[in-house]
Amino acid sequence: MLFSKNSHHEKFLAGHYTRQPGIRLQLLLLVIVAFFYFHPAAAAEELSSIGLNLMPWPVKAEISGGQFRLTENFYLGGEVKPGHRVFKAGARFMSRLAGRTGLFFEQDYLAAQEINDRTKFFYHFDQPGQLLPGEDESYRLEIYPEKIELTARTDLGLLRGFETLLQLLSSDQQGYFFPCLRIEDFPRFTWRGLLIDSSRHFMPVDVIKRNLLAMSAVKLNVLHWHLSDDQGFRVESKVFPRLHQFGSDGWYYSQEEIKDIIQLASELGIRIVPEFDLPGHSTSWFVAYPDYASAPGPYQIERKFGVLLPVFNPAQEKTYKFLDRFLKEMAALFPDPYFHLGGDEVDPKQWKENPEIQKFMKKNNIPDEPALQAYFNRRLLKILGKYQKKMVGWDEIYQPGLPQDVVIQSWRGQQALVEAVRKGYQCLLSNGYYIDLMGSAEKHYLNDPIPPDSPLTDQEKKLVLGGEATMWAELVSPETVDSRIWPRTAAIAERLWSPAEIRDVNEMYRRLKVINLRLEENGVNHLKNQPMMLRRLLQSEQIKSLEVLAAVSEPIKGYSRHSQGRSYSSLSPLTRFVDACYAESFQARDFKKLIEDFINSRDRRQAEEIKGCLQFWRANHQELVATVAFSPVLKEIIPLSENLASVSQVGLEALRLILNGKRFDPTWLQTRQKILEEARKPVAECELAVLSGVELLFNYLKK
């Protein structure tokens, strides 16, 4: 069931803020509510058929017919004072609405929002929401031909409802309108996060702010901010200023900048959970303070990536005094009650080779290095407790004796999460949401913190707080990070908000394409930077052939870019063709879907569409070769373009054979098989995304 018995959400749906209809109408509504209560997937299918582009999909939505026509005398009101986050949200709503429609609204979006006889959009909430896990984010949106009503228990719910209403904006030949409907909505999980790694590559303030705005658009509510690692320490410390002075190459956030970002996040209903990774991933700390390391210095900021040796010394008391003073300062800077201390990928080599550490372990009956890390974590947990913070760590932090008020974030897999939950720990899932691995939106979308076959009991499932998409920054820069986060993270946001039954992949992609364009409204550069990067590589505006190839290519998956002959570091350029390609090619996916439909239907119109695509890609090669002739950096993609032409030719031949009855020479089959196998090999760290579609045609012939 979607609601627990007597839950706040159940009461909310049962009639809070509703008008009192007649008995017959009440009975009719009861039937409708009951249907959608138990059949959210059916509701989504019905409503998507009329083109609603909502993401995340709401718990319940009912179309009532009619439209609220948008005009320039559109006024909103809710009796909040300027400076309140709901007032600011209303102002942003009006500004964005004006930007989309070009309407010159009579109500200045910075003017007072009091309710009067001109008000058309009414909003109301009962109480301020706290930025804490478990806070009520539910809302009800009702659109009538003459007015709009948005109500919620907390102002956080209003923030989510504002975004839903913006997603409902539609247009026809007469102008802009909102469809008349009723939505009742709340999140499935309370922790819906995005990790941004500012350590391996520094992400300036504007990158963080624009991604916060994009997060709010899809109802994510936690920014997990990775602020220290081997490659950089990114926060100003007034207690230990050498940390940022020596460990950041000059790229760090001042405390005033952090306060400003936290303020924006609060206005958007987003928590910020900082992470300072300990005891490993810690080289940047030791550049300034080598005495706290397990091996003697000197140390330099690390430029390479991977699991490195430097690690804090847990056997000396001064380490904890140092970290106590530092954590006290950071606990005061970051207001969220949760504080992430990493704990992942600790190489024990320095611990094993340090005689004093080994002596300490023997004296304190610490049997091995994992137990030593557990001792370190327990000491830090006590320090955090002094400053009213709860500890979050990656799943390596678990060792017997770890208190159960620690939150464990699982990156190693579902089984690790299940084991931690069964031991009584609250957990987050990140395995399957590693967006830096360049997986498809489909893969992330079908990954669930509590999958349908979960072995957890209902009581154990309550310990799963949610999940986080993780944007590790080894191979992203401020220029490319948006295209690696969006739009796939919007699919993850839906998985963490919407009912578990909402799993139609094709429908998700239909809506994702619309949301992909709308995200630009928040300032993210995931779409517009590609042509700019291609123009820079070519030193010309004539990039059409490059765009054609980029549209059907993707960066190779996983961490395989590190094994393609180049040794990446934090100083390497991330400006090549592979960096300009999107993480997922929608065009390639659509092409594959077209072929699947053709194989099932044998529709000649679909065959002509397939033929047109293949002919277009085949012809692009000659133009691309001429285009990149005087661009040395782009010559590496010529074999990729040649593969596209060859694969397209194989596709055209296979299509013709299918249409003509599947008569072919076995020699043809063997030679074309080799062409496809060759095209599967990475070129310039890219893979040809349309290859899988052509292989469908080819493999159909072999049946």
Side-chain angles (χ1 to χ4, degrees), residues 629-647:
F630 297 99
S631 177
V633 70
L634 286 169
K635 287 187 177 179
E636 67 175 353
I637 67 170
I638 291 177
L640 183 67
S641 177
E642 186 174 7
N643 283 346
L644 177 59
S646 300
V647 166

Side-chain angles (χ1 to χ4, degrees), residues 17 85 107 329 389 399 453 517 604 638 652 677:
Y17 303 133
R85 69 178 162 208
Q107 181 184 29
E329 179 186 23
K389 299 295 184 182
Q399 289 293 323
D453 61 351
L517 300 177
R604 287 276 175 172
I638 291 177
L652 287 167
E677 290 173 357

Side-chain angles (χ1 to χ4, degrees), residues 691-703:
L691 177 60
S692 60
V694 173
E695 286 179 330
L696 278 180
L697 284 175
F698 185 78
N699 291 333
Y700 180 77
L701 286 171
K702 297 192 296 184
K703 292 182 178 179

Side-chain angles (χ1 to χ4, degrees), residues 85-299:
R85 69 178 162 208
V86 169
F87 180 92
K88 293 180 179 180
R92 283 193 304 272
F93 171 86
M94 292 296 289
S95 177
R96 291 164 65 187
L97 198 60
R100 273 195 212 172
T101 63
L103 292 172
F104 288 61
F105 292 121
E106 295 172 5
Q107 181 184 29
D108 185 335
Y109 69 86
L110 295 177
Q113 298 175 11
E114 74 276 1
I115 296 175
N116 54 46
D117 57 2
R118 296 178 298 179
T119 305
K120 301 288 183 66
F121 175 19
F122 300 83
Y123 63 79
H124 172 80
F125 68 99
D126 286 346
Q127 63 192 36
Q130 298 185 39
L131 291 176
L132 296 171
E135 182 58 285
D136 195 320
E137 297 176 80
S138 61
Y139 67 92
R140 169 175 288 154
L141 175 63
E142 296 174 284
I143 303 176
Y144 305 98
E146 71 283 358
K147 66 177 180 178
I148 299 172
E149 294 179 350
L150 176 62
T151 53
R153 295 196 181 279
T154 72
D155 56 349
L156 297 178
L158 287 190
L159 302 185
R160 311 310 176 216
F162 275 126
E163 296 297 338
T164 297
L165 183 56
L166 277 169
Q167 289 184 358
L168 287 167
L169 181 65
S170 306
S171 62
D172 57 20
Q173 292 181 339
Q174 284 72 49
Y176 292 94
F177 66 90
F178 294 106
C180 291
L181 49 67
R182 174 177 168 178
I183 285 176
E184 292 170 335
D185 199 13
F186 58 88
R188 181 180 171 213
F189 293 105
T190 189
W191 193 306
R192 308 178 306 281
L194 168 65
L195 178 150
I196 294 182
D197 174 4
S198 290
S199 301
R200 292 177 175 90
H201 282 97
F202 181 70
M203 299 296 159
V205 169
D206 67 301
V207 174
I208 304 302
K209 285 187 171 182
R210 69 191 186 223
N211 278 285
L212 282 170
L213 289 165
M215 287 172 65
S216 70
V218 293
K219 302 181 177 61
L220 291 174
N221 68 350
V222 179
L223 173 64
H224 174 172
W225 204 357
H226 188 78
L227 291 165
S228 75
D229 215 295
D230 296 298
Q231 294 76 22
F233 188 96
R234 304 302 185 188
V235 176
E236 176 192 19
S237 173
K238 296 179 180 180
V239 177
F240 298 109
R242 288 168 62 91
L243 281 171
H244 66 269
Q245 291 169 354
F246 287 79
S248 71
D249 292 312
W251 296 104
Y252 64 90
Y253 305 102
S254 72
Q255 292 199 9
E256 288 305 309
E257 287 174 325
I258 288 173
K259 291 175 183 177
D260 183 47
I261 289 170
I262 291 171
Q263 178 61 33
L264 173 61
S266 176
E267 292 171 2
L268 298 171
I270 295 174
R271 300 164 43 216
I272 292 187
V273 176
E275 179 185 351
F276 295 92
D277 209 346
L278 301 165
H281 286 285
S282 50
T283 306
S284 62
W285 298 70
F286 305 142
V287 179
Y289 298 99
D291 290 348
Y292 301 111
S294 296
Y299 288 87

